[in-house]
Amino acid sequence: MDFDPTLLRAFVAVKETGGFTRAAERLHLTQSAVSHQIRKLEEQVGRQLLHRTTRRLTVTEDGEDFLRYAQQILDTLDAMTRRFQPSPITGVVRFGVPDNFMGDRLPPLLSQFARAFPAVRMEVCVSMHTDLRAAIRSGELDLAVVMSPPNVAEGTCLRRTQLVWAAAETFEAPKGASLPLAFFPKPCVNRQVAGSALDLTAIDWHVVFTSASPQGIRAAVLAGLAVTVLTREEVEPGMKFVDGRYGLPPLPSVEFALIWSESGKTPCACRFGQMILEMPDLAVGARA
């Protein structure tokens, strides 16, 4: 049995407004048209849904049950309409993000945005090596998440994290020799912060391994080749914190911030940026 949503809406309107006249006003119909729709619905159901007298209109017991189902159907239809309504927003969103920021959250974010705005094309740069700030300044990207060095306020703060020294659980520094380190190529905030901290010490150190890939740095560390700098969340099984060992200095906390290019705040890019700000477990407060 297929029910016409128009008849269901008429029935719900009569119940909610308490009469045919007000229901007709809500639906922008005549009273006789609403009465006809209710009669047609009752004929299809084969049950009396409304009890009418000259002074009062009430919903029958069958009508109460039918009303519950009708409301569920209409709510579902409304949700479907909102979900699949063509989006008026079109264009391109050019987004940059470091590998160590979103992790497994990035695919669901892209999927959610693509469903909401199917006419928008995405260009995403995920890299620890690319200078995302330079790409923002040149207009190559509309928005980007960047890691901000200590005491540098920029964009909107998404999350704060602690930088730590990390090495393989089996790592031992070579006695009487320079301490081997592994870093991403410049520009890299991890490398910048580590170098500034090391310059204030008497540690003899050298870069033994460089990779633009987080997997490359991870492999070098787990192989016991070098010590590196990671965010606390990136230290994984097989690694250990070595803060304070081998004379290594303490490291500061850093921020992940969302920044924009001068021309990047297009309607589609703004919608994508808002989705980032609303992601759970990311926002820790905003700074204009």
Side-chain angles (χ1 to χ4, degrees), residues 23-137:
E25 293 174 354
R26 173 190 289 190
L27 299 172
H28 305 289
L29 298 171
T30 64
Q31 182 177 337
S32 61
V34 173
S35 297
H36 174 73
Q37 289 176 338
I38 298 300
R39 282 196 304 272
K40 185 176 180 181
L41 183 62
E42 288 179 326
E43 290 173 1
Q44 184 176 6
V45 175
R47 309 280 182 89
Q48 184 177 5
L49 302 177
L50 296 172
H51 181 68
R52 310 165 185 79
T53 67
T54 56
R55 305 179 63 179
R56 189 179 179 190
L57 183 146
T58 58
V59 179
T60 65
E61 185 174 343
D62 287 329
E64 290 288 355
D65 289 339
F66 189 85
L67 178 68
R68 186 166 58 254
Y69 290 114
Q71 191 63 66
Q72 292 174 358
I73 292 171
L74 293 175
D75 289 344
T76 300
L77 289 174
D78 290 342
M80 288 177 63
T81 300
R82 291 191 299 271
R83 167 64 180 82
F84 294 101
Q85 185 174 21
S87 171
I89 296 180
T90 61
V92 180
V93 176
R94 300 168 301 167
F95 173 59
V97 63
D99 299 74
N100 61 344
F101 177 66
M102 286 187 173
D104 293 340
R105 299 183 184 92
L106 183 58
L109 173 67
L110 297 178
S111 177
Q112 177 188 358
F113 185 78
R115 289 196 308 269
F117 305 102
V120 176
R121 181 165 58 87
M122 293 292 303
E123 295 180 5
V124 180
C125 173
V126 182
S127 174
M128 293 293 294
H129 176 55
T130 303
D131 190 343
L132 298 178
R133 288 182 182 81
I136 286 290
R137 289 194 297 270

Side-chain angles (χ1 to χ4, degrees), residues 64-283:
E64 290 288 355
D65 289 339
F66 189 85
L67 178 68
R68 186 166 58 254
Y69 290 114
Q71 191 63 66
Q72 292 174 358
I73 292 171
L74 293 175
D75 289 344
T76 300
L77 289 174
D78 290 342
M80 288 177 63
T81 300
R82 291 191 299 271
R83 167 64 180 82
F84 294 101
Q85 185 174 21
S87 171
I89 296 180
T90 61
V92 180
V93 176
R94 300 168 301 167
F95 173 59
V97 63
D99 299 74
N100 61 344
F101 177 66
M102 286 187 173
D104 293 340
R105 299 183 184 92
L106 183 58
L109 173 67
L110 297 178
S111 177
Q112 177 188 358
F113 185 78
R115 289 196 308 269
F117 305 102
V120 176
R121 181 165 58 87
M122 293 292 303
E123 295 180 5
V124 180
C125 173
V126 182
S127 174
M128 293 293 294
H129 176 55
T130 303
D131 190 343
L132 298 178
R133 288 182 182 81
I136 286 290
R137 289 194 297 270
S138 66
E140 296 175 42
L141 294 175
D142 299 312
L143 70 166
V145 174
V146 296
M147 184 184 289
S148 299
N151 304 317
V152 175
E154 58 182 336
T156 300
C157 176
L158 298 174
R159 188 175 77 216
R160 296 182 181 87
T161 188
Q162 179 65 42
L163 291 181
V164 297
W165 297 99
E169 290 181 348
T170 57
F171 177 83
E172 289 296 336
K175 294 182 179 179
S178 176
L179 183 67
L181 300 178
F183 287 127
F184 295 105
K186 297 178 181 179
C188 169
V189 172
N190 292 23
R191 184 170 185 156
Q192 174 188 336
V193 170
S196 298
L198 289 168
D199 287 343
L200 300 177
T201 72
I203 297 177
D204 184 17
W205 60 276
H206 68 286
V207 177
V208 70
F209 186 89
T210 301
S211 175
S213 163
Q215 289 76 17
I217 296 295
R218 171 181 173 276
V221 171
L222 291 174
L225 300 182
V227 175
T228 193
V229 175
L230 300 173
T231 64
R232 181 175 294 275
E233 297 81 11
E234 291 177 281
V235 177
E236 60 181 81
M239 298 182 186
K240 63 183 178 181
F241 297 103
V242 291
D243 295 62
R245 300 182 64 177
Y246 319 124
L248 290 169
L251 296 174
S253 61
V254 293
E255 292 184 351
F256 288 103
L258 180 65
I259 62 175
W260 297 79
S261 68
E262 289 186 3
S263 60
K265 290 196 173 182
T266 61
C268 53
C270 287
R271 295 296 183 93
F272 186 71
Q274 188 60 38
M275 282 190 178
I276 294 174
L277 295 174
E278 293 173 354
M279 290 181 67
D281 303 324
L282 286 189

